[in-house]
Every structure is written in structure tokens, then in C-alpha cells.
Amino acid sequence: MSSKRIQKTQPDFYGYPPIRQGPETSPYTVPSGSNPVLRGLPLAIIGTIASKLSFVGNFLWSNTGFGLLRDIRDLDDYEPRYDPTVIKLSDSLDSEPIEETTSNISIKSQSTSNRHYSAAYFTSAYKAGKLTPTEVITGLLDQISAEKRHSVAFLQIIPENVLAAAEASTARYKSGKPLSLLDGVPVAVKDEADLDGYEKSLGSSIDYTRKNGGTSWCIKKWEDAGAIIIGITNMHELGLGISYPLSTLPRTSAHHYTDTTNNNPVKGTPLNPHNPSYYTGGSSGGSAYAVASGLVPIAHGADGGGSIRIPAAYCGLYGLKPTHGRVSILPTKSLATSNGVMGPLASNMADLELAYRILATPDPSNPTSSLFNPPSSPPSPSSRNNRPKTLGIYNPWFSASSPEVLSACNAALDHYTSSLSYRLVPIHLPHLHSAQLAHALTILSEISS
């Protein structure tokens, strides 16, 4: 027998579903809704009535279309799946393991607008002796406390904790031994993670602080890398926004759903730093404000239905919803087990990568996170350009965007195809609106439980 190793053309995956041809269905069309749009007192009244009178609740349930999901016969031949985790295994038996440290991370600094200082700016200034972490953090705390527009983005700051971390970082730079490229960099954490010594409310009036204390694994990795956590940021109350058809908009518009705004009547509402007449988006709105306003270059967020991506889009930032199960949050309990993940927001791609690679350090005590390989170095530009790259576009969904959004997205696709060697492939997504309903039903059920 030949001793040559068989070369694999595809990486192996754990949990990858079988490839099957999907059913043929009618193209996606913008759905219309029949439930009334309610706010304030009318919403409270109808909510109370629906909770007391089952037939009212049943009527509203039926009107949403949730019950129709049972009637999709195309799904009868599919086994229900409750955990969407798919894990990429090693591409090669000869691949070298990557050390579980941040010292091997080397990311080139990217220039940004005057509003934003990058992580590399801070660490370079520290190494050159132009600034110290203590000076930066002292000035930052003064600025946040002095201006309401900044302070409303934070639910809790413990100055003595923050200054102690800054002084420790200053001492490390003085001795020439910074922990990583994140050492001394100010960051912010959404009120959905646990941070030892801090309270947690999920942006509500309810106390969700862990009785036994503890810090979420991914946040602890930032701390271990020397990041200085300024405080806990505001969020949309309980992470839940409103999604409903807007009958006043043209039927051709895809804006028939509203996004989570981070309008929080309980804790206060941070406004968009680019235009205070607009929201930051949510539910990670406080974190988005902290980055977009230039207070911190990196912030933590959580996403089960857009709660990182929406505020990133509203505030002109970069946001990443990582692979499900990739980022460990233990001992924190997930709000939505099959939907929710935690990830970073940043003002530039270099900082987003830096933040993500540290957050995603595998957690040996987490049965899912521990199966992932540590984040590896990205391929070289020449390697990226030579790889076959494909973008699947579902045109009925894509074209339902407003003209301004569609124009921007088409310009991006032109750049991908003309400059980055991507190939566009038309695809079909069956039962897309039903998938939206299924997502809403799943995440609402998980959060309410």
C-alpha cells in the first residue's frame, strides 16, 4: 500500500448538516402584517388583557402567523435541530497548534478618523513614553462623568477598580513587559456579561447579578490581556426590541420591520454620536456609543437577532457576531441558548480582529468552546487573492432594500468581484419569511424562559 497521505479537498466539520436540495417555493415578497402597532399605555392595556383572556392572546398569536409554521409540509422530512453549532476541525494533521496567548497576535495599525484612536495608537504611545495608561484612564473617567451624553451610555463605573487596573498596566509598560497588544487599552462591556464586583440588570430594573460573583470567560480573557474595562454599558431593556410591519411605508420597501433602537426608559437612552436625533441601535447600544463617540476603540456586545450588527450599522462601526458556541461566556447563562453569542464592536477592522481573537480563546471548561481551535493568523494577501471565493445572493430579498441601501450594497459587490476576485452566485432561500417568524418565536421563547 502507498504510504502517501490522502490530500483532503475540504476541511472536516463537526455538526455540519447533510447537503440537500431545498424545496422550490415562491420568491420572497415583503409580507404585510395584521396586528396593530401599539406603544405606551395602549400596549400595556392590551398586554394585560391578553395575559388574562386566553382568546385574545390566541387571536394575536394567530395573526402573527406563528401557527402557520406547523403547516409547512416541506419540513416533515427534516429532523428538528436545536443546537446550530458547527465546528471547523483542523485542515491538516500537520497543522501546528497556536499558543493560547495574546503575545503571538500581530496586527498592523489602521488609520481612522480623528474621532477614533485605535488600540495600536494607545500601545504605541505607551511604549514610546508619550502617554501612560493611568493618564489616559484618568482623563477618560473625568470626561465621562462631566458629560451626560457620555455617562448615559454607562450603567456602572467603579473608578477605583478602573484606576487600579490602569496603574498595574502603567507599571508593566515601565518595566517593558506589557501583556499583549491590548494592554492598557480602554474597553467597555455590555450589561449582559458578568463582571466580578459589578451589578448586572440587562438594562432593566431587575437585578440579575450572580450571587457567587465571577466574570464571563471571554471578558476575563480581555482582562488577562491587560485591557482596562471602563465600565458596564447601557443596553436595550432585556435585549428585546420591537419588530412589526409599518403599514404607512411603501409596499416595495424592506423597512417594514423596525430594529432594536436602544431606547431605554428605565436606564436612559444614549443617542447616536453622529446625529443626536437618531438612536444608536441596539441592543448593544451603549457599547456602540462608547466606540462611535471615540471614548474607547473596542467594546463588548451580544447578539441573538442583530444586537451587535444593528448598532454597528447605525453608528458606522465594525461588529462581529461570531460562530455559535465559539466564544465561551461561562459562568454566565445565555439569554437565548440557540441564538445568542457574544462578540466585539470596534472602530476599525484591525481592532475588531484583535478583540475577537482574544475573546475567542477556547475555554477548556466549556464542552463546546473547547472543541474549537484557537483563532489562527489570517492568510496572507496573496493567498487570499488566489483562493476561490463565492458570494451567494438571493435577489428577491436583496432587491427589497431601499434604493440608498441597495446602491451601497451593489457598489460593495462590484468591488468584491472586480478587485477581490469574488464570484457571485444566485441562490434561493425557501420559506424565508417563515424563517423570520421561527427566529422570533425561538428567541422570544428562550429569553422568556
Side-chain angles (χ1 to χ4, degrees):
M1 293 180 63
S2 172
S3 61
K4 291 184 178 180
R5 178 178 295 162
I6 298 175
Q7 297 295 319
K8 297 178 181 178
T9 58
Q10 294 289 339
D12 289 331
F13 291 88
Y14 168 82
Y16 202 95
I19 299 175
R20 295 176 57 177
Q21 177 70 38
E24 291 296 328
T25 59
S26 300
Y28 172 83
T29 58
V30 178
S32 59
S34 52
N35 275 342
V37 176
L38 300 174
R39 302 178 181 86
L41 182 60
L43 176 61
I45 294 173
I46 293 297
T48 301
I49 294 174
S51 67
K52 303 294 184 182
L53 303 176
S54 60
F55 72 90
V56 176
N58 291 337
F59 172 78
L60 295 174
W61 170 277
S62 176
N63 258 12
T64 64
F66 286 147
L68 299 178
L69 295 174
R70 299 175 179 174
D71 300 329
I72 302 177
R73 299 276 71 89
D74 292 331
L75 300 180
D76 289 347
D77 294 332
Y78 291 84
E79 185 70 21
R81 180 168 176 172
Y82 304 101
D83 183 356
T85 304
V86 175
I87 300 173
K88 182 181 179 182
L89 305 177
S90 177
D91 292 295
S92 169
L93 294 177
D94 294 329
S95 62
E96 294 292 331
I98 298 174
E99 296 180 7
E100 289 191 27
T101 68
T102 59
S103 59
N104 64 314
I105 298 177
S106 178
I107 300 176
K108 185 178 179 181
S109 172
Q110 293 184 352
S111 60
T112 58
S113 67
N114 292 333
R115 179 189 293 270
H116 305 112
Y117 292 108
S118 67
Y121 168 85
F122 287 110
T123 55
S124 297
Y126 298 155
K127 290 177 181 178
K130 296 178 180 179
L131 289 171
T132 68
T134 300
E135 291 171 337
V136 169
I137 298 306
T138 299
L140 187 54
L141 292 178
D142 289 343
Q143 186 176 11
I144 293 173
S145 63
E147 299 189 49
K148 175 68 174 177
R149 64 192 177 102
H150 294 333
S151 62
V152 74
F154 290 86
L155 299 185
Q156 188 180 13
I157 295 175
I158 304 179
E160 55 268 29
N161 290 14
V162 185
L163 290 171
E167 290 165 0
S169 179
T170 297
R172 289 192 292 270
Y173 276 100
K174 187 175 181 179
S175 64
K177 297 179 180 179
L179 296 173
S180 75
L181 295 177
L182 207 54
D183 200 343
V185 176
V187 300
V189 173
K190 181 183 180 181
D191 185 31
E192 194 169 322
D194 287 302
L195 184 58
D196 202 25
Y198 285 77
E199 299 173 352
K200 184 169 79 171
S201 66
L202 302 178
S204 72
S205 58
I206 305 171
D207 184 8
Y208 289 99
T209 309
R210 282 178 49 83
K211 294 180 180 179
N212 297 325
T215 297
S216 303
W217 168 270
C218 55
I219 305 303
K220 186 67 167 60
K221 293 297 101 182
W222 274 2
E223 289 186 315
D224 292 346
I228 300 175
I229 298 174
I230 299 299
I232 300 298
T233 57
N234 201 329
M235 61 179 283
H236 199 109
E237 188 176 5
L238 299 177
L240 293 174
I242 306 171
S243 180
Y244 51 75
L246 297 178
S247 58
T248 58
L249 292 177
R251 291 288 296 118
T252 56
S253 172
H255 289 178
H256 57 291
Y257 290 106
T258 66
D259 289 325
T260 311
T261 60
N262 217 100
N263 180 357
N264 190 325
V266 176
K267 299 292 187 177
T269 301
L271 301 177
N272 197 305
H274 300 290
N275 186 336
S277 297
Y278 288 80
Y279 290 120
T280 59
S283 63
S284 307
S287 289
Y289 177 92
V291 177
S293 64
L295 295 173
V296 299
I298 293 167
H300 157 269
D303 191 319
S307 288
I308 288 175
R309 295 161 290 164
I310 292 169
Y314 277 34
C315 294
L317 304 175
Y318 296 89
L320 175 66
K321 181 186 181 186
T323 298
H324 186 269
R326 169 52 128 155
V327 175
S328 174
I329 66 174
L330 291 180
T332 302
K333 293 182 179 180
S334 176
L335 284 181
T337 305
S338 68
N339 291 271
V341 300
M342 292 188 179
L345 296 98
S347 60
N348 64 77
M349 280 298 297
D351 284 351
L352 190 77
E353 181 186 346
L354 171 63
Y356 163 69
R357 291 176 65 187
I358 297 174
L359 283 177
T361 302
D363 178 359
S365 66
N366 185 315
T368 302
S369 167
S370 61
L371 296 178
F372 284 90
N373 290 319
S376 60
S377 298
S380 65
S382 59
S383 174
R384 288 198 299 267
N385 290 335
N386 292 331
R387 287 189 311 175
K389 293 168 289 189
T390 303
L391 284 174
I393 303 295
Y394 183 36
N395 284 314
W397 168 266
F398 198 79
S399 301
S401 305
S402 62
E404 297 85 356
V405 172
L406 185 60
S407 176
C409 290
N410 282 329
L413 292 180
D414 289 342
H415 174 70
Y416 292 144
T417 54
S418 62
S419 302
L420 301 177
S421 304
Y422 277 84
R423 180 173 64 101
L424 299 186
V425 175
I427 61 174
H428 175 68
L429 298 177
H431 302 297
L432 184 52
H433 178 56
S434 297
Q436 291 177 297
L437 292 176
H439 169 263
L441 183 60
T442 302
I443 193 169
L444 290 173
S445 298
E446 290 181 348
I447 291 178
S448 65
S449 65

